[in-house]
Amino acid sequence: MTIPPYEPPIDLGSFRQLPPRPRRRFRKWIVLFIVLFFGLIPWLSGAAIDWLWFKEIGYETVFWTDLNTRVALFAIGALVTFAFLYGNIRLAQRGPVTQPILLANPTGPPVDLVAIIGRLALPLAAVLSFLFGVSLSSLWLTVLKATNSVAVGSVDPIFGRDIGYYLFTLPLAAAALNVLVSLTFLSLLATTAMYWVRGDLILPPRRTSVERQAAMHLGGLLAFLFVLIAVRLWLVRVPALVYSTTGPLFGASYTDTHATLPALNVSAIAALLSAALVIWGIVRGKLVWFGTVAIALYLVVALVGRGVFPFAMQKLFVAPNELNRETVYLGHHIKATRQAWGLDKVTTRDLSGEDRLDMADITANPGTIENVRLWERDLLAQTFGSLQEIRTYYDFIQVDDDRYTIDGRYRQVHLSARELNTRSLPTKTFINERLTFTHGMGLTMAPVNQVTQEGLPVLFIKDLPPVSGVSLKVTRPQIYFGELTDSYVFVNTGQPEFDYPSGEDNIFTSYKGSGGVPISSFVRKLLFAWHFQSLKLLLSNDVTPESRVIYDRDIPTRARKALPFLSFDGDPYLVLSDAGELKWFVDAYTASDHYPYSKPRADGVNYMRNSVKLVIDAYDGKITAYVADPSDPIIKTYGRIFGGIFQPISAMPEDLRRHVRYPTDLFEAQTAMYATYHMIDAHTFYHREDQWQMPRVDAAAAEHGNPFMRHVIMRLPEEQAAEYIYMSPFTPRGKDNLASWMVARNDGEKYGELLVYRFPKQSLVFGPRQIMNRINQDTEISRQVTLWDQSGSEVIKGELLVIPIEESLIYVQPLYTRARGGTIPEMKRVIVAYQNHVVMEETLDQGLARLFGAEGDARAARAGRDVSGAAVPAAGSISTPAPVVAAPLSAAGATLAQRAQAHYDRALAAQRSGDWATYGEEIRRLGEVLRQLRP
């Protein structure tokens, strides 16, 4: 066997053609470029764009407060995390490694695992520090609220702390302690792993041992962790019992106060004893044994004290006698929920339930009758779209309710903005989408109760440019800011702006407002081109330094960006000012999920106030925030944080204040809560003896919310004048008869008042479902609907309207027809129902006359009562009938007959014109004349 000669190993380094240092430096430049291009530069450009936007609207304080607080918290969080985490890892790396762990390397000498982990420690600590910094920066608003908080003035019933502690301080304390516990736990894990790799810590199955310095280090971290746990139990977990769900309520229950609370205190003491045991283990040199005992002690106390003991008490001691045990706590829960949702300010008024309506009652409520909402908003939007969009690139997004004084009369109207939809432009180019078609145009307005001969809505404001046929005027119809303006545009450019079509021609305009950010320089142009990813913008000669860019201009986005610490109602609405300018109203809320004992919604919110009314100009985008509820502690705190951005509601112009309305989302939440929390007695509440619900409807109607919750103009019982209200009826749980109706007032000094009108429990007042059943069973209505269906028309039943009049109710339902496949619904009939009587006529006036006029009198008599409600003799009973006058009339009688005919004719004329006051007066005089004719 021949042995080959020895050859020395080849030095691969001699074959390297590039020195390692330049290559390593080149890689660093690549990494730096990637970080800048994909991270820092986009962030800086986005921040610059936002700063210009906030500067334009005058809300720089929001931008800088947000940015500065986030940066400061990020820096503090990242630096503290890095110092604590990396410092502990480096501390664990000190000293020589007596028993290194070597990993086999097939291409070279063995690799030291300790060295690898040591090299990974720095980047790992940096990544974790970055994540902790980002997490901490997200708490910017929590920190600001805690450091600028105000006292609420009321305390929780268990610990006696001011409610402000729970709203502002507790969330920050919980977040800070959670961060410290997590950081300490991660450091403990990392250092334990490092000591184990170095051989300073030996774990089973080998004989457990730990080096002296490692024991001091690990023991110190473990003891510190136990101390943090004890502090968190006392400062966070104990107060958080007011959010418990252990018992039949939200908040601390009997079990929480008698079992969980003592167990939490014992657990905190056990955590401190565990920390002491760990320290004693360090001193005695038996960290592993004492540390194990400490951990076991805490876990056993926590499991038994906070798990087994409360569970046993709830099941064995409380549940069998739950009402007796929980009565006091139910009282706390009911009171707190009513306070948190503003239900403690509801005024309750009881109705007699015996009031019977007649024509005199109808004529005494002209404001209510003249404003019965016969047009559905969804159907009206279709009609507006078909008749008033004019061009395909205009859209009516939604129809709003409001009230105006028109030609001296207080009228409820529907109105909708005619917005530009750039997606429907026939030619989509940069010039068309960004420079020429920049804004919508005007609005369409219709009264809620008027119909043309063709069954279409009467239009108060219509066409392009907007033309008003009433006392209202539109002087600045352009809509640069709306609900559909979700794209950026440039104004004052080299291209004329399309204003509106005029026959075959187009009218153009130029922007005269202050909205938008000035381009002003090539640097800004480059910045916006980068931000919008538009090379055409950069190369366009039409965009000059005098041009302005308008972005973030749709109303919901604009509101959320300007005031990111508020939540907003889902129904912004358009208002026409006395000067003829268009303004958007947005209701803003302060909310919290930390109100003690209060019942939360599905999203966790258990406190809510409509504290801010936001007004946004549709032309220049100016945002003005008015404080509508200065007593709200959260808005007081925000006022401290963001000084100068809020104005008192008294500063709102009077013509705009007339259009302030109670917000939809809040009223929906309050009515849902009040259905249960009108019961203030703990026993009644526990048994749900008098629980209410929204009137039941079919599944299709329920998808759109409560169809019976609506704005109406009506005269409330015991009030003198009609007013604009928001109302919702209630029925008893599981039943269909009406129990009550709730009202939010909107006008003047009465704004924000909540009233509930309750019917007597012993009276039967038909509810919406019962009335719907009667309508569906009416043969005349069914026959007419069938005829329309057979003639090729689609019959649409409108919403059933609940109309309170005096202390009673009438129901009104409009019927529409629409050609199959058509888009224009026409009103055909109006159904009017009162008690068990249902009629259908072409107009509401005719329906009311038929229901409460002569035919109504006859029906009432057949039912055993006249129109005044007095009993009449039943069939077969003995009565003395009035003699029938059959002889020729005397001269005096003939004169009275002529007077009666004149009053009757004038009453009919007043009925046709809708003048119910005159109608009532003529009917009264007619009655006097007829009484004189009787011998």
Side-chain angles (χ1 to χ4, degrees):
M1 181 176 180
T2 306
I3 300 176
Y6 170 78
E7 294 182 3
I10 298 175
D11 183 5
L12 296 179
S14 62
F15 289 90
R16 292 176 181 167
Q17 299 180 358
L18 293 175
R21 190 176 300 276
R23 180 181 298 175
R24 196 175 298 118
R25 187 177 303 161
F26 180 70
R27 288 198 299 267
K28 289 181 179 180
W29 279 109
I30 293 177
V31 172
L32 180 61
F33 174 78
I34 292 174
V35 171
L36 290 176
F37 188 81
F38 291 102
L40 188 59
I41 291 178
W43 183 84
L44 289 175
S45 66
I49 293 292
D50 287 343
W51 175 73
L52 292 172
W53 188 88
F54 277 98
K55 182 180 179 183
E56 174 228 333
I57 65 171
Y59 280 37
E60 299 102 312
T61 181
V62 176
F63 175 83
W64 287 117
T65 302
D66 182 340
L67 180 63
N68 291 339
T69 309
R70 285 180 184 271
V71 170
L73 289 175
F74 174 83
I76 293 172
L79 290 175
V80 170
T81 300
F82 184 81
F84 191 82
L85 185 60
Y86 188 66
N88 277 287
I89 294 175
R90 289 293 296 174
L91 188 62
Q93 290 179 310
R94 71 193 187 284
V97 181
T98 57
Q99 299 179 3
I101 299 177
L102 301 178
L103 303 178
N105 181 8
T107 61
V111 178
D112 187 355
L113 181 59
V114 176
I116 294 176
I117 295 179
R119 285 194 293 269
L120 291 177
L122 180 61
L124 178 63
V127 170
L128 290 175
S129 299
F130 177 81
L131 295 177
F132 269 83
V134 171
S135 176
L136 202 61
S137 68
S138 65
L139 300 175
W140 69 279
L141 191 57
T142 303
V143 173
L144 289 175
K145 287 196 294 185
T147 54
N148 293 274
S149 62
V150 299
V152 174
S154 56
V155 298
D156 77 276
I158 302 299
F159 304 108
R161 288 190 174 99
D162 188 88
I163 302 298
Y165 172 82
Y166 299 94
L167 296 178
F168 307 118
T169 306
L170 183 59
L172 178 60
L177 286 169
N178 287 338
V179 168
L180 288 175
V181 168
S182 300
L183 182 58
T184 305
F185 184 72
L186 284 175
S187 299
L188 182 60
L189 286 180
T191 52
T192 300
M194 178 60 70
Y195 282 122
W196 177 76
V197 170
R198 287 172 52 88
D200 297 329
L201 173 64
I202 300 176
L203 299 175
R206 300 166 61 188
R207 179 181 175 84
T208 304
S209 64
V210 58
E211 189 265 336
R212 176 74 179 173
Q213 290 186 338
M216 294 177 62
H217 188 187
L218 295 175
L221 287 175
L222 183 58
F224 184 58
L225 180 62
F226 277 124
V227 171
L228 287 177
I229 291 174
V231 173
R232 185 171 65 173
L233 286 171
W234 273 320
L235 295 185
V236 177
R237 294 296 302 277
V238 168
L241 285 177
V242 295
Y243 312 126
S244 172
T245 57
T246 301
L249 54 100
F250 185 88
S253 64
Y254 184 94
T255 299
D256 293 316
T257 58
H258 291 79
T260 307
L261 178 58
L264 286 171
N265 289 323
V266 172
S267 294
I269 295 173
L272 294 179
L273 290 176
S274 296
L277 282 173
V278 170
I279 295 174
W280 182 247
I282 296 173
V283 174
R284 295 294 303 273
K286 296 181 179 180
L287 174 64
V288 175
W289 192 88
F290 280 98
T292 303
V293 172
I295 294 173
L297 171 66
Y298 176 75
L299 292 178
V300 169
V301 171
L303 178 62
V304 174
R306 290 151 54 189
V308 176
F309 179 45
F311 178 81
M313 175 173 283
Q314 180 67 29
K315 293 297 182 182
L316 303 178
F317 185 72
V318 177
N321 303 282
E322 191 171 53
L323 180 57
N324 292 333
R325 305 295 183 195
E326 303 289 9
T327 297
V328 174
Y329 305 98
L330 283 171
H332 298 333
H333 171 66
I334 295 169
K335 180 180 179 181
T337 301
R338 289 170 59 88
Q339 289 176 342
W341 290 102
L343 304 179
D344 56 328
K345 298 179 176 62
V346 174
T347 300
T348 302
R349 297 180 181 177
D350 292 323
L351 302 174
S352 65
E354 300 177 356
D355 190 39
R356 297 184 59 86
L357 296 179
D358 55 23
M359 186 54 74
D361 296 316
I362 301 297
T363 56
N365 290 270
T368 302
I369 300 302
E370 290 177 1
N371 291 283
V372 172
R373 198 179 86 181
L374 298 179
W375 281 105
E376 299 292 331
R377 295 199 299 179
D378 292 342
L379 296 177
L380 197 60
Q382 299 175 24
T383 304
F384 283 175
S386 299
L387 302 180
Q388 284 292 303
E389 281 183 358
I390 313 296
R391 296 287 176 89
T392 58
Y393 40 76
Y394 286 125
D395 269 345
F396 292 99
I397 300 302
Q398 71 170 16
V399 176
D400 295 314
D401 279 306
D402 207 347
R403 71 284 197 196
Y404 290 81
T405 300
I406 299 174
D407 297 328
R409 298 167 64 189
Y410 194 50
R411 303 293 299 273
Q412 185 175 354
V413 298
H414 290 306
L415 67 159
S416 184
R418 184 185 292 104
E419 298 203 49
L420 179 71
N421 187 351
T422 56
R423 300 179 185 87
S424 300
L425 290 174
T427 305
K428 296 182 181 180
T429 63
F430 175 79
I431 291 178
N432 276 354
E433 292 183 289
R434 307 301 181 191
L435 309 183
T436 301
F437 291 90
T438 57
H439 58 273
M441 189 63 179
L443 74 159
T444 297
M445 179 185 289
V448 298
N449 66 326
Q450 286 186 247
V451 185
T452 66
Q453 292 293 332
E454 297 79 18
L456 299 176
V458 173
L459 300 181
F460 283 170
I461 300 177
K462 59 183 179 178
D463 298 340
L464 286 173
V467 177
S468 174
V470 293
S471 57
L472 303 177
K473 60 182 179 180
V474 184
T475 60
R476 198 171 67 183
Q478 292 82 5
I479 301 175
Y480 285 87
F481 300 84
E483 294 182 270
L484 197 60
T485 52
D486 55 356
S487 59
Y488 65 93
V489 296
F490 295 88
V491 295
N492 298 338
T493 65
Q495 293 290 329
E497 293 180 53
F498 172 79
D499 203 26
Y500 60 90
S502 179
E504 298 298 324
D505 299 324
N506 290 330
I507 306 300
F508 293 88
T509 188
S510 59
Y511 185 67
K512 302 295 192 301
S514 59
V517 176
I519 297 297
S520 74
S521 67
F522 178 77
V523 174
R524 282 196 182 182
K525 189 175 183 181
L526 179 63
L527 175 65
F528 284 111
W530 168 278
H531 179 74
F532 295 125
Q533 300 294 297
S534 175
L535 182 61
K536 294 178 181 179
L537 166 59
L538 188 63
L539 301 178
S540 175
N541 293 324
D542 292 320
V543 180
T544 66
E546 289 74 30
S547 301
R548 307 175 76 91
V549 56
I550 304 177
Y551 55 100
D552 291 332
R553 60 194 186 110
D554 68 284
I555 299 304
T557 299
R558 198 167 183 83
R560 285 193 299 267
K561 186 171 182 177
L563 301 170
F565 44 87
L566 299 177
S567 56
F568 296 91
D569 194 86
D571 185 23
Y573 59 99
L574 188 69
V575 168
L576 178 63
S577 71
D578 287 355
E581 300 173 350
L582 300 179
K583 311 282 186 179
W584 291 98
F585 273 52
V586 187
D587 286 291
Y589 304 107
T590 54
S592 175
D593 56 0
H594 282 83
Y595 198 98
Y597 266 110
S598 174
K599 171 74 173 179
R601 296 190 309 188
D603 60 358
V605 170
N606 66 355
Y607 172 89
M608 194 174 187
R609 290 291 185 273
N610 174 218
S611 295
V612 176
K613 302 286 185 181
L614 211 62
V615 178
I616 303 178
D617 193 285
Y619 187 74
D620 60 26
K622 180 182 178 182
I623 302 174
T624 310
Y626 299 97
V627 175
D629 187 358
S631 64
D632 173 35
I634 298 182
I635 202 62
K636 289 180 181 179
T637 300
Y638 287 151
R640 289 184 171 188
I641 299 171
F642 308 100
I645 66 171
F646 295 116
Q647 297 186 29
I649 193 69
S650 59
M652 181 183 289
E654 181 59 32
D655 62 325
L656 297 183
R657 288 193 68 180
R658 291 197 297 268
H659 298 280
V660 168
R661 73 185 192 189
Y662 206 80
T664 298
D665 291 350
L666 178 59
F667 192 57
E668 286 181 348
Q670 288 177 318
T671 52
M673 289 289 179
Y674 196 77
T676 300
Y677 288 89
H678 71 276
M679 298 178 287
I680 58 177
D681 177 72
H683 288 73
T684 304
F685 180 89
Y686 180 82
H687 293 297
R688 300 295 196 269
E689 295 175 8
D690 191 26
Q691 188 171 8
W692 298 339
Q693 66 182 23
M694 304 303 163
R696 292 185 291 182
V697 295
D698 56 69
E703 291 179 357
H704 303 285
N706 181 3
F708 305 107
M709 181 181 293
R710 58 176 57 87
H711 292 95
V712 295
I713 288 180
M714 64 165 290
R715 182 174 68 84
L716 294 172
E718 303 179 4
E719 299 293 335
Q720 299 300 315
E723 57 186 283
Y724 188 65
I725 65 167
Y726 206 5
M727 73 160 290
S728 179
F730 295 102
T731 63
R733 184 182 61 173
K735 297 183 179 180
D736 293 323
N737 60 290
L738 215 61
S740 62
W741 44 284
M742 188 174 188
V743 164
R745 307 178 80 171
N746 292 275
D747 290 348
E749 298 300 323
K750 302 292 186 180
Y751 172 81
E753 291 185 7
L754 298 177
L755 304 176
V756 170
Y757 293 89
R758 298 188 303 190
F759 293 104
K761 294 181 181 180
Q762 67 274 13
S763 66
L764 175 62
V765 179
F766 290 126
R769 191 180 184 92
Q770 294 166 320
I771 295 295
M772 285 299 302
N773 290 337
R774 289 189 174 274
I775 292 174
N776 294 334
Q777 294 166 4
D778 188 279
T779 55
E780 178 186 353
I781 297 174
S782 299
R783 180 181 58 81
Q784 184 62 65
V785 170
T786 302
L787 288 175
W788 283 325
D789 276 331
Q790 293 175 348
S791 63
S793 296
E794 177 189 3
V795 179
I796 304 172
K797 291 184 177 181
E799 294 178 355
L800 184 65
L801 308 176
V802 184
I803 311 296
I805 296 180
E806 300 299 339
E807 294 195 4
S808 190
L809 298 167
I810 65 172
Y811 290 87
V812 176
Q813 183 181 44
L815 291 182
Y816 314 89
T817 62
R818 181 172 56 196
R820 298 195 184 279
T823 59
I824 304 179
E826 300 176 4
M827 185 179 294
K828 285 296 183 182
R829 295 289 186 273
V830 178
I831 299 172
V832 186
Y834 172 63
Q835 294 183 345
N836 59 348
H837 307 304
V838 178
V839 300
M840 181 176 69
E841 292 293 336
E842 292 188 3
T843 67
L844 174 62
D845 296 345
Q846 293 172 355
L848 292 171
R850 182 179 167 189
L851 196 61
F852 297 104
E855 291 189 36
D857 296 352
R859 269 193 306 274
R862 289 194 296 270
R865 292 185 178 275
D866 62 20
V867 292
S868 66
V872 298
S877 61
I878 299 176
S879 63
T880 305
V884 178
V885 180
L889 292 174
S890 63
T895 301
L896 288 174
Q898 291 176 355
R899 287 175 56 193
Q901 183 67 44
H903 287 309
Y904 177 73
D905 292 340
R906 284 195 291 269
L908 288 181
Q911 175 189 333
R912 286 191 292 271
S913 64
D915 187 354
W916 292 102
T918 302
Y919 176 85
E921 179 63 22
E922 294 299 332
I923 290 295
R924 185 187 65 79
R925 293 179 179 179
L926 173 61
E928 292 177 354
V929 173
L930 292 177
R931 281 192 293 272
Q932 295 178 34
L933 279 171
R934 295 178 63 180

